[in-house]
Amino acid sequence: MKAHDGMYIDGAWRPAGGGDTIAVVNPADEQVIGHVPAGTAEDVDAAVRAARAAFPAWAATPPAERAARIAALRDVLVARKDEIAETVTAELGSPAPFSQTVHAGVPILVSGSYAELAATYPFEEKVGNSTVYAEPVGVVGAITPWNYPLHQIVAKVAPALAAGCTVVLKPAEDTPLTAQLFAEAVDEAGVPAGVFNLVTGLGPVAGQALAEHADVDLVSFTGSTAVGRRIGATAGAAVKRVALELGGKSANVILPSADLAKAVNVGVANVMGNSGQTCSAWTRMLVHTSQYDEAVELAAAAAAKYGDRIGPLVNAKQQARVRGYIEKGVEEGARLVAGGAETPHDRGYFVAPTVFADVTPEMTIAQEEIFGPVLSILRYEDEEDALRIANGTVYGLAGAVWAATDEEAVAFARRMDTGQVDINGGRFNPLAPFGGYKQSGVGRELGSHGLSEYLQTKSLQF
């Protein structure tokens, strides 16, 4: 798609306040594919004012009509699925099949779920002698990351619109073209002017201005825990609502009774998907000591198959960061059994699929989020030891448990300090709440729990 040279504000593309632009680079070949405006605080203010002006009418719109607009948006995303996939591939480097099925397909699924929820959610209920109303929070500032550029937008904007909120979106500067395409889809779907607004720009400028704006009622942010802390502190000072989906270091616990080969192969695939740039990836594989050597062999063989199947990392900075973690793992004594820090191609921000064995819980690669195609395999002695290791990080976003029966896996998963656990390879559910414990965040996305993040409660007594 051709990049817009303005901001989508109050239902139209308008010139940006400043003259600076951001180059969009294809990470597979390092070529510039477009430029977007670098938004200023003045651009953010204009977008917020448009959202505030549109809020009363949109909040008063019947839920069924809001549902119809979201359904229309879903239909536009379906019609433009190929263009979405091509855009994500160009600016993120995601392989075309993954862009089609995940980057384009999942947002269609999620937007459809909110079209249904908007029409059926209990915005009003009787509780004894009271009537309780769920009302929209107001203006939402949505700040989204680059790793799943359309999914993260839809996971915030769709429930906010369903709730009756208006939105100002500041997407990641690495993947703004997908956000512009989404704005086109919103316009085509007939969403009223000012209900959705887009400002492209840098995080420390446009993102900070949005988070700090006095007329933003809720900030929904997905990204690093470090930035999430700053946004939380800013919002706390203003007594402003926040929803934070942050980092992860998820454990894939393989109990001795499990199908080891299946658990290892699915676990490796989970880490390598999206080139490892997934906050919920199971980057720590926990295996009983009696099966450890076999698991390492299986994982190394599985990782080798991904050499030409994964895309690059998003930019040179991320590539250098991941390579630094690989070097740190070797330095601290972990055993490299696949991949390594050497770049596999002459051009592009690639990192080879990498597997470490002999990783101990205190190592840096077992504690910090790497955000690349790097798997650490740890051994445990018994279930209590596995639970200690699984819960032994500051994160608690996701995880997996494998066992001979679901009951055995569930018994272990219930004791994990994490927000979402897949049992024996459980399938993605767009209606299940997603979010973290501990430093992995505050609040939930997806399904009715995601919708409730954008609502506040009022009760009337009779």
Side-chain angles (χ1 to χ4, degrees):
M1 67 169 290
K2 185 179 183 296
H4 289 274
D5 58 4
M7 310 297 186
Y8 184 76
I9 297 175
D10 203 18
W13 292 98
R14 303 189 173 192
D20 292 340
T21 62
I22 299 170
V24 184
V25 177
N26 184 329
D29 60 15
E30 305 180 40
Q31 297 299 302
V32 175
I33 57 175
H35 292 81
V36 299
T40 64
E42 290 73 22
D43 293 317
V44 169
D45 183 63
V48 173
R49 283 189 282 109
R52 176 57 62 194
F55 174 67
W58 183 247
T61 300
E65 292 184 27
R66 298 201 297 262
R69 289 304 99 215
I70 299 170
L73 174 60
R74 184 267 324 277
D75 292 344
V76 176
L77 297 180
V78 170
R80 301 183 70 172
K81 184 178 180 181
D82 290 345
E83 185 182 0
I84 291 167
E86 291 168 2
T87 302
V88 174
T89 293
E91 63 180 356
L92 181 63
S94 172
F98 195 84
S99 292
Q100 273 281 342
T101 57
V102 177
H103 288 296
V106 171
I108 290 169
L109 192 65
V110 172
S111 57
S113 74
Y114 278 114
E116 295 179 10
L117 275 169
T120 59
Y121 190 87
F123 291 99
E124 177 182 337
E125 64 174 329
K126 292 287 187 179
V127 180
N129 64 306
S130 301
T131 301
V132 180
Y133 297 92
E135 300 182 340
V137 169
V139 175
V140 173
I143 304 174
T144 56
W146 45 260
N147 60 326
Y148 288 90
L150 184 59
H151 168 63
Q152 295 289 356
I153 290 170
V154 169
K156 297 181 188 304
V157 175
L161 299 188
C165 296
T166 54
V167 180
V168 177
L169 168 68
K170 204 300 285 183
E173 51 263 36
D174 289 291
T175 54
L177 301 183
T178 301
Q180 290 189 340
L181 195 157
F182 179 78
E184 292 178 0
V186 168
D187 193 79
E188 190 175 338
V191 175
V195 171
F196 170 82
N197 307 272
L198 168 68
V199 176
T200 55
L202 301 175
V205 180
Q208 184 171 336
L210 185 58
E212 294 178 347
H213 201 289
D215 225 10
V216 169
D217 300 294
L218 182 151
V219 179
S220 180
F221 169 78
T222 298
S224 72
T225 297
V227 176
R229 287 194 195 99
R230 294 199 294 272
I231 289 175
T234 298
V239 196
K240 182 182 299 185
R241 291 266 297 272
V242 293
L244 304 173
E245 198 264 281
L246 308 176
K249 195 67 184 175
S250 301
N252 179 18
V253 182
I254 305 174
L255 297 177
S257 66
D259 180 335
L260 183 65
K262 180 179 180 180
V264 170
N265 283 314
V266 174
V268 170
N270 176 275
V271 173
M272 300 306 160
N274 211 39
S275 304
Q277 299 170 129
T278 303
C279 55
S280 58
W282 311 332
T283 52
R284 295 180 299 146
M285 181 179 290
L286 278 56
V287 184
H288 189 268
T289 187
S290 65
Q291 300 173 315
Y292 188 81
D293 291 340
E294 182 181 359
V296 169
E297 290 183 10
L298 289 167
K305 298 176 183 177
Y306 285 88
D308 295 323
R309 292 165 54 187
I310 66 172
L313 300 184
V314 70
N315 55 38
K317 181 180 177 181
Q318 186 66 15
Q319 181 193 44
R321 181 177 185 271
V322 173
R323 292 178 66 193
Y325 272 111
I326 295 172
E327 292 166 355
K328 187 73 170 177
V330 173
E331 177 187 321
E332 292 185 353
R335 177 165 54 99
L336 199 60
V337 297
E342 295 300 318
T343 54
H345 302 288
D346 293 334
R347 299 183 69 188
Y349 309 125
F350 292 89
V351 170
T354 298
V355 177
F356 279 106
D358 300 338
V359 179
T360 57
E362 69 279 1
M363 288 182 179
T364 302
I365 59 172
Q367 288 291 321
E368 298 184 11
E369 184 176 44
I370 298 173
F371 226 60
V374 181
L375 170 66
S376 296
I377 309 180
L378 297 88
R379 69 174 75 233
Y380 67 85
E381 300 296 329
D382 54 32
E383 284 197 17
E384 292 305 315
D385 190 36
L387 186 67
R388 175 186 63 81
I389 296 170
N391 290 340
T393 75
V394 298
Y395 298 111
L397 186 58
V401 182
W402 300 80
T405 65
D406 288 349
E407 291 76 15
E408 182 185 1
V410 167
F412 187 95
R414 288 296 303 272
R415 297 199 290 162
M416 294 173 70
D417 297 334
T418 192
Q420 190 173 83
V421 185
D422 289 354
I423 302 298
N424 286 325
R427 294 179 293 110
F428 171 71
N429 180 1
L431 299 179
F434 177 75
Y437 286 21
K438 300 188 287 187
Q439 292 187 27
S440 284
V442 177
R444 292 295 180 268
E445 292 186 331
L446 304 181
S448 60
H449 292 81
L451 176 55
S452 67
E453 291 292 331
Y454 299 93
L455 295 168
Q456 54 192 351
T457 304
K458 176 184 291 179
S459 64
L460 303 182
Q461 283 61 250
F462 295 88

